[in-house]
Amino acid sequence: MDVAIFRRLLEETGQRVLAEAAQADLSTTALVATASRLRERYPAELVSAALTQARLRARAHEKFGADAARMYFTPAGLEQATRACVAEYRARRFADRLGGGPVLDLGCGIGADLIARARAGCAGVGVERDPLTVEVARANLTALGLAERAFVRHGDATEADPAGFAAVFADPGRRTLRGRVFDPSCYEPPLDAVLDLAGRAPAGCVKVAPGIPHQAIPQEAEAEWISVGGDVKEAALWTGALAGRARRRATLLDGRGGVWTLAAARDPATAPVREWGRYLYEPDGAVICAHLVAEVAAALGGGLADARIAYITGDDLVATPFATAYEIEEVLPFSVKRLRAVLRRRRVGRLTIKKRGSAVDVQRLRRELGFAGGGGRRDGEELTLVLTRVGDSPVALLTHRRPLDVSASGPAGSA
């Protein structure tokens, strides 16, 4: 879709097509028939654009909730956009620390963060080099009633001038035609260039890949990893007036307003190594990325079974939002034959397999244990099989997950 067609989609006729497309059957099998029916009354290129938007809006509901039905997207823009709950969480820091000061958003994409900050009271200007994405971001601000608080202009982020802005927010490209980019020097623009731009403003925030090497993080920056519903979604580097006293932070969002945060100002601590206890704790991915496993282990009164693997073990069941708890039933040397016999003896009906520090092919193991395609017994117990190692010895743990009653009302305190 080019800019001219997108602009036509925003006009009266385009809006009628889009409204009809939203009510049509968009399934793969019905899409051709739906398109043919609409093309009887509307131009083919407008129908194609409307159907694309309707399908993207359906996909976007997971990220943007009810707003998705009014927003506009490109396939790449939707994939790379910050999900609403993360953008809203981050916007609160901008509002709290900057008092509504204007923010320069470099590489603003379809405007997800720009929208969240505008709603939080921070005016902003977005810069985006792709002409179609510029139009999409502008349309989103208008559709959500935010066009008076934020604006998007076409341009090169590296040539933007941060003068007069309270902060710079940047989201450098981390994907090419060959896939994801993990080397910060290969971001577009490179991370050093983006940090230099952010450093020319009183405050800054730069989105980075969750797997960013810790040695690439500037000493003066606060690094924050964010997970949503247990999945690590992104990381950000905070600088200047937006940086806190922490060096590393893990923030957990449940997507419903619950927020938990754990932070450390010092270099990564070392957790004690001990024998397996009664419980195994699997730290949230954001905790692992932030190198805060030792802090969680200390809070749980536990340690690591192996110093190189982020599985915590302890004797007591302790409620924590930062790890998932499993009660250990048996600890066995890894052996397919032995596991098959034990699972049969225990009449296991449903088996979840997790691994860390293990080279085992999980799908192949499921077949070897008789659990491919469901397997098991309908009336059997449910177990989680954890594959790991202690030293050079592969280990299999038979466990039951133990849900913990953890609640949060707004932001939690940091440790």
Side-chain angles (χ1 to χ4, degrees):
M1 178 170 53
D2 61 24
V3 171
I5 293 175
F6 180 75
R7 287 175 176 170
R8 289 174 59 193
L9 195 63
L10 302 179
E11 297 171 354
E12 183 178 353
T13 300
Q15 291 295 292
R16 286 203 303 269
V17 185
L18 189 54
E20 291 189 40
Q23 300 299 319
D25 186 346
L26 300 176
S27 63
T28 303
T29 55
L31 193 59
V32 172
T34 297
S36 298
R37 187 174 66 255
L38 290 173
R39 284 170 183 162
E40 293 175 358
R41 291 177 291 118
Y42 301 107
E45 64 275 14
L46 207 55
V47 170
S48 178
L51 289 173
T52 296
Q53 284 302 315
R55 299 189 83 185
L56 287 172
R57 284 177 169 181
R59 285 171 46 196
H61 188 270
E62 179 189 359
K63 275 191 174 183
F64 294 97
D67 280 344
R70 294 184 289 164
M71 293 175 66
Y72 298 88
F73 304 95
T74 65
L78 174 57
E79 182 177 352
Q80 297 166 18
T82 305
R83 63 183 51 229
C85 66
V86 177
E88 290 163 4
Y89 160 77
R90 193 156 48 216
R92 288 196 292 270
R93 182 185 286 212
F94 278 89
D96 292 344
R97 300 282 178 90
L98 304 180
V103 178
L104 177 63
D105 192 326
L106 304 178
C108 67
I110 63 169
D113 284 277
L114 201 61
I115 289 166
R117 287 192 304 271
R119 283 175 165 170
C122 292
V125 173
V127 178
E128 174 57 51
R129 70 178 182 178
D130 177 63
L132 176 58
T133 305
V134 170
E135 296 291 334
V136 170
R138 289 174 177 171
N140 284 334
L141 290 171
T142 299
L144 298 175
L146 300 169
E148 293 184 359
R149 300 186 191 177
F151 175 75
V152 179
R153 68 171 186 247
H154 179 247
D156 187 334
T158 61
E159 298 175 358
D161 184 2
F165 290 92
V168 166
F169 176 80
D171 184 6
R174 298 178 297 282
R175 183 182 291 276
T176 67
L177 294 176
R178 292 178 293 179
R180 294 184 184 276
V181 172
F182 298 99
D183 182 354
S185 66
C186 295
Y187 290 178
E188 182 57 43
L191 180 60
D192 286 347
V194 175
L195 287 171
D196 179 67
L197 279 168
R200 290 158 54 190
C205 178
V206 179
K207 278 180 63 174
V208 294
I212 183 173
H214 278 235
Q215 61 267 28
I217 300 171
Q219 285 293 324
E220 68 277 9
E222 174 189 346
E224 180 178 33
W225 286 264
I226 298 177
S227 71
V228 179
D231 293 328
V232 182
K233 296 301 181 183
E234 62 181 67
L237 306 181
W238 299 92
T239 64
L242 285 169
R245 291 176 296 175
R247 167 76 172 150
R248 294 163 290 114
R249 183 181 300 275
T251 297
L252 284 54
L253 310 179
D254 63 7
R256 301 183 300 275
V259 181
W260 298 265
T261 184
L262 180 69
R266 59 186 184 279
D267 291 334
T270 301
V273 177
R274 53 159 292 169
E275 298 291 327
W276 291 109
R278 183 175 178 182
Y279 297 97
L280 177 146
Y281 293 90
E282 180 182 27
D284 185 274
V287 169
I288 296 173
C289 289
H291 293 182
L292 291 169
V293 174
E295 284 77 3
V296 174
L300 298 173
L304 305 180
D306 184 285
R308 299 164 294 178
I309 299 176
Y311 276 144
I312 300 169
T313 186
D315 300 316
D316 301 311
L317 185 61
V318 182
T320 175
F322 300 106
T324 303
Y326 298 86
E327 185 170 3
I328 299 174
E329 301 286 341
E330 295 187 54
V331 180
L332 307 167
F334 177 76
S335 162
V336 174
K337 182 177 180 180
R338 179 178 296 181
L339 280 172
R340 189 187 300 116
V342 170
L343 295 175
R344 187 180 299 116
R345 170 173 55 82
R346 296 182 67 117
R347 300 168 62 89
V348 174
R350 182 178 177 186
L351 184 69
T352 300
I353 302 178
K354 305 180 73 66
K355 72 171 187 173
R356 182 164 293 153
S358 170
V360 171
D361 183 324
V362 172
Q363 295 306 316
R364 178 179 177 181
L365 179 61
R366 291 191 69 87
R367 292 194 300 269
E368 293 174 336
L369 296 177
F371 284 85
R377 304 170 57 97
R378 290 187 178 181
D379 59 344
E381 68 173 321
E382 180 177 345
L383 279 180
T384 297
L385 170 63
V386 179
L387 306 175
T388 186
R389 58 181 169 81
V390 176
D392 295 327
S393 302
V395 177
L397 295 89
L398 298 180
T399 72
H400 282 104
R401 182 171 176 176
R402 291 292 180 246
L404 301 173
D405 183 13
V406 179
S407 60
S409 54
S414 62

